[in-house]
Amino acid sequence: MAEHNGLRVFAPATVANVSCGYDVMGFAIDSPGDEVVVRFNDSFTGIKILSIHGDPDKKLPYETAKNTASVSGQMLLDEIGYTGKGIEMHIHKKMKSGTGLGSSAASAVAGVFAVNELLNRPFIRRDLLKFAIEGERIADGAVHGDNVAPCLMGGMVLVRDSHEAEAHRIFIPDGLHAVVIYPHVQVLTKDSRAVLDATVPLEKHIKQSANLAAMVLGFSRNDLGLVQRSMTDIIIEPQRAALIPCFYDVQKVAQEHDALGCSISGAGPSIYALFANSIKAEKAAVEMSNVYRQASVKHDVHLSPINMTGVKIV
Amino acid sequence: MAEHNGLRVFAPATVANVSCGYDVMGFAIDSPGDEVVVRFNDSFTGIKILSIHGDPDKKLPYETAKNTASVSGQMLLDEIGYTGKGIEMHIHKKMKSGTGLGSSAASAVAGVFAVNELLNRPFIRRDLLKFAIEGERIADGAVHGDNVAPCLMGGMVLVRDSHEAEAHRIFIPDGLHAVVIYPHVQVLTKDSRAVLDATVPLEKHIKQSANLAAMVLGFSRNDLGLVQRSMTDIIIEPQRAALIPCFYDVQKVAQEHDALGCSISGAGPSIYALFANSIKAEKAAVEMSNVYRQASVKHDVHLSPINMTGVKIV
């Protein structure tokens, strides 16, 4: 079969660790995102990665047991005891790893979603979460669903329990718009985790958890004032900000443009800011970008509504 | 004026530290509760406490600056620069302090609510919260609104910020019913605070805060399964359980009767359990009480719906 006969899926980038929701809140944006193409192949069994595009440094593994896309797909096959034709996989990376935009999560979701579609959906969409979380774990070493869940389901997602793969899309008002800025510096997730204290002062725990609950309540009620008061991070952000060039300057500009919240995307170095509408977001994006331009920090800017679809066939 | 011409208010008992909502979630029950009577008195200025009933050990102070009921009322007078007739206050305690049912909070709320009513409502109800929190602080030494807020507003309340007196009633399904058991042992709030570690492991913070947000979401969506999975406390309860006789035995019985959640009420020693309806609550109450009866622990049992009214004129 030629590649054009394959099944192609797109999995969007995601912002995880949304402010007070470290490891539990994430949302999807429209672009960038990864694509995965799958098709049946009689010449082997199980999953084989035949090509990886967009990985100039050849960092990503072809080995089925090591690539997040094939691991999640293979887990699905194992779960149903699949013994049919082999499945070849072609991965098109559209975002680098280490940007804080859920690159490995997007591949994990794309892989298992594509395999599920190819097999005519043995699972409903939300039941793919456990496979995607396991795929993500291969890349990251940690079990956390706040990238894979919004990548799979779209929208703004609260992950109650990553080990149980329990996640909930929460209601959000129409029109929310995100600015995501990726400064071209390298921050590895494991380094970003290493700077974190193993404990949290009780008072900060109380304040942060109240804000998380209030943020969910604010979104649910379309009370953006409440969202804005709640979208802060007094625990993780202060420990990681130093890893990111000009973080507080960029954040200040976002806040001056009435951002609902602005913090570190995932493990960084990307910075996200969320706005009530695209007009505010577009104005803010220009000024946030200017901070980096003036500091001679190379960077990319992404402007996007919250992606409400999640992974999809394209 | 005779006492029967006074204005009498009732302020309900409250369950604070609701499971994963330490210092931020509380709800009101119908009884017990405190009553406060106020009336004008020409013979002095400001507030004077003229009688305190239901305090056999004479522990509660008459001094205006030291009793939670008069402190909250006096703060209101100070805020509006009140220079009118004196206000005499009569306090009818219907619950002891140190039970974990928000005794001092009820007095603080009753005091300021009564004064506000007597002056023909210079403030709307929710704006009394800051005065009540300050009154509560006199008794407790800590600023926390998870007793006074539900006592004032009724219902199930999320306190986002006690210092800013920002609290939100959250939607809860009809019919919820609480069992509250008060074992006759003394646990002082300050002792109960002293056993707590100053820090929380990061992993527990993540899990507990996700559960808090999920509990709020579960109530909002009438998803009692989600409420039940979320209503746990992995941080505070394990540290305080030893202060309360037979805590885990009572909790186990509640859970066997399908409690949505069961944990320590406030700083203890009372134990609360929340149920989807009164039938389950009534059955559970008998068995929870039996645990204490068999262990020869004297105790009181309160059965109540969530009080949706809060403090009121009676």
Side-chain angles (χ1 to χ4, degrees):
Chain A
M1 290 165 96
E3 175 160 346
H4 68 272
N5 288 327
L7 189 147
R8 178 183 292 258
V9 307
F10 167 85
T14 45
V15 171
N17 296 344
V18 178
S19 296
C20 40
Y22 177 69
D23 261 10
V24 300
M25 286 286 291
F27 64 84
I29 58 178
D30 281 348
S31 74
D34 283 351
E35 290 185 4
V36 164
V37 175
V38 289
R39 73 172 63 82
F40 290 116
N41 186 321
D42 280 337
S43 64
F44 55 85
T45 59
I47 295 175
K48 276 197 180 166
I49 298 171
L50 297 193
S51 66
I52 301 178
H53 310 272
D55 178 33
D57 302 336
K58 310 282 182 200
K59 281 188 187 168
L60 297 174
Y62 274 76
E63 217 178 310
T64 302
K66 292 193 174 165
N67 191 299
T68 64
S70 43
V71 165
S72 60
Q74 187 64 50
M75 273 196 68
L76 184 153
L77 299 187
D78 293 345
E79 177 96 355
I80 60 174
Y82 179 77
T83 55
K85 293 178 194 174
I87 296 173
E88 61 176 70
M89 197 173 261
H90 303 265
I91 300 173
H92 299 261
K93 294 299 292 182
K94 304 289 175 77
M95 42 181 172
K96 292 200 294 183
S97 62
T99 62
L101 291 174
S103 172
S104 59
S107 288
V109 168
V112 70
F113 185 79
V115 167
N116 191 56
E117 291 292 321
L118 191 68
L119 299 184
N120 211 12
R121 297 188 199 160
F123 295 93
I124 61 170
R125 179 181 286 252
R126 66 177 305 143
D127 286 345
L128 301 178
L129 183 56
K130 62 180 174 181
F131 305 122
I133 287 174
E134 185 60 18
E136 163 93 316
R137 193 178 64 80
I138 295 295
D140 179 312
V143 174
H144 62 96
D146 54 338
N147 285 112
V148 289
C151 182
L152 178 67
M153 303 155 82
M156 178 79 72
V157 175
L158 170 70
V159 180
R160 193 188 76 78
D161 190 328
S162 290
H163 291 88
E164 299 287 328
E166 182 181 334
H168 302 271
R169 270 184 69 157
I170 64 171
F171 170 87
I172 51 170
D174 282 345
L176 297 186
H177 224 80
V179 176
V180 179
I181 299 204
Y182 163 53
H184 295 184
V185 295
Q186 179 82 353
V187 176
L188 292 176
T189 299
K190 61 182 167 61
D191 295 342
S192 200
R193 287 191 181 252
V195 301
L196 297 181
D197 286 341
T199 61
V200 175
L202 180 58
E203 287 306 313
K204 288 192 178 180
H205 158 70
I206 293 167
K207 191 163 183 174
Q208 185 105 331
S209 63
N211 276 329
L212 177 60
M215 181 171 77
V216 169
L217 196 65
F219 279 127
S220 301
R221 290 183 175 172
N222 201 350
D223 180 347
L224 292 184
L226 178 54
V227 170
Q228 197 168 39
R229 290 194 299 282
S230 309
M231 274 191 93
T232 59
D233 175 7
I234 59 172
I235 295 174
I236 306 299
E237 179 186 294
Q239 299 182 70
R240 286 184 167 172
L243 298 174
I244 298 163
C246 312
F247 173 77
Y248 288 113
D249 297 327
V250 175
Q251 186 188 52
K252 182 162 174 279
V253 167
Q255 287 165 343
E256 286 166 357
H257 284 77
D258 202 23
L260 299 171
C262 174
S263 190
I264 301 163
S265 177
S270 290
I271 302 172
Y272 78 91
L274 191 64
F275 296 87
N277 56 57
S278 60
I279 296 168
K280 287 184 178 182
E282 283 162 16
K283 283 185 183 166
V286 172
E287 299 302 324
M288 291 165 74
S289 175
N290 270 342
V291 172
Y292 276 149
R293 205 167 299 131
Q294 284 163 22
S296 300
V297 176
K298 285 189 183 176
H299 61 283
D300 302 324
V301 180
H302 304 285
L303 258 168
S304 173
I306 309 286
N307 175 313
M308 299 303 280
T309 308
V311 62
K312 63 179 179 182
I313 296 175
V314 287
Chain B
M1 292 163 94
E3 175 159 346
H4 69 270
N5 288 326
L7 188 146
R8 179 183 292 258
V9 308
F10 168 84
T14 44
V15 171
N17 297 345
V18 178
S19 297
C20 41
Y22 177 70
D23 261 11
V24 300
M25 285 287 292
F27 65 85
I29 59 177
D30 280 349
S31 75
D34 283 351
E35 291 185 4
V36 164
V37 176
V38 289
R39 73 172 63 82
F40 290 116
N41 187 320
D42 280 338
S43 63
F44 55 86
T45 58
I47 295 174
K48 275 197 180 167
I49 297 171
L50 295 193
S51 66
I52 301 178
H53 310 271
D55 177 33
D57 302 335
K58 309 283 183 200
K59 281 188 185 166
L60 296 174
Y62 275 76
E63 218 178 309
T64 302
K66 292 194 174 164
N67 191 299
T68 65
S70 44
V71 166
S72 61
Q74 186 64 50
M75 271 197 70
L76 184 155
L77 299 186
D78 293 345
E79 177 96 357
I80 61 175
Y82 178 77
T83 56
K85 293 178 191 173
I87 296 173
E88 62 177 70
M89 197 173 261
H90 304 266
I91 299 172
H92 300 260
K93 295 298 293 182
K94 304 288 175 75
M95 43 180 172
K96 292 201 293 183
S97 62
T99 62
L101 291 174
S103 173
S104 59
S107 288
V109 168
V112 70
F113 185 79
V115 167
N116 191 56
E117 291 292 320
L118 191 68
L119 300 184
N120 210 12
R121 296 189 199 159
F123 294 93
I124 60 170
R125 180 182 285 251
R126 66 177 305 144
D127 286 345
L128 301 177
L129 183 55
K130 62 180 175 182
F131 306 123
I133 287 174
E134 186 60 18
E136 163 93 315
R137 193 178 64 80
I138 295 296
D140 178 314
V143 174
H144 62 98
D146 54 336
N147 284 113
V148 290
C151 182
L152 178 66
M153 304 154 81
M156 178 78 73
V157 176
L158 170 71
V159 180
R160 194 188 75 79
D161 190 327
S162 289
H163 292 88
E164 298 287 328
E166 182 181 334
H168 302 271
R169 270 184 69 157
I170 63 172
F171 170 87
I172 51 170
D174 281 346
L176 297 185
H177 224 81
V179 176
V180 179
I181 299 206
Y182 162 52
H184 295 184
V185 296
Q186 179 83 354
V187 176
L188 292 176
T189 299
K190 61 181 168 59
D191 294 342
S192 200
R193 287 192 181 252
V195 301
L196 297 181
D197 286 341
T199 61
V200 176
L202 179 58
E203 287 306 313
K204 288 192 177 180
H205 158 70
I206 293 167
K207 190 164 184 174
Q208 185 105 330
S209 63
N211 276 328
L212 178 60
M215 181 170 78
V216 169
L217 195 65
F219 280 128
S220 300
R221 291 184 175 171
N222 202 350
D223 179 347
L224 293 183
L226 178 54
V227 170
Q228 197 169 38
R229 290 194 299 281
S230 309
M231 274 190 94
T232 60
D233 174 7
I234 58 172
I235 295 175
I236 306 300
E237 180 186 293
Q239 299 182 69
R240 286 183 167 171
L243 299 173
I244 299 162
C246 313
F247 173 76
Y248 288 113
D249 297 327
V250 175
Q251 186 187 52
K252 182 161 174 278
V253 167
Q255 287 166 344
E256 286 166 357
H257 284 77
D258 203 23
L260 299 171
C262 174
S263 191
I264 301 162
S265 177
S270 290
I271 301 172
Y272 79 91
L274 192 63
F275 296 87
N277 57 56
S278 62
I279 296 168
K280 288 184 178 183
E282 282 162 17
K283 283 185 182 165
V286 173
E287 299 301 323
M288 291 166 74
S289 175
N290 270 342
V291 173
Y292 276 149
R293 205 168 298 130
Q294 282 163 21
S296 299
V297 177
K298 286 189 181 174
H299 61 283
D300 302 325
V301 179
H302 304 286
L303 258 169
S304 173
I306 309 287
N307 175 313
M308 300 303 279
T309 308
V311 61
K312 62 179 179 181
I313 296 174
V314 287

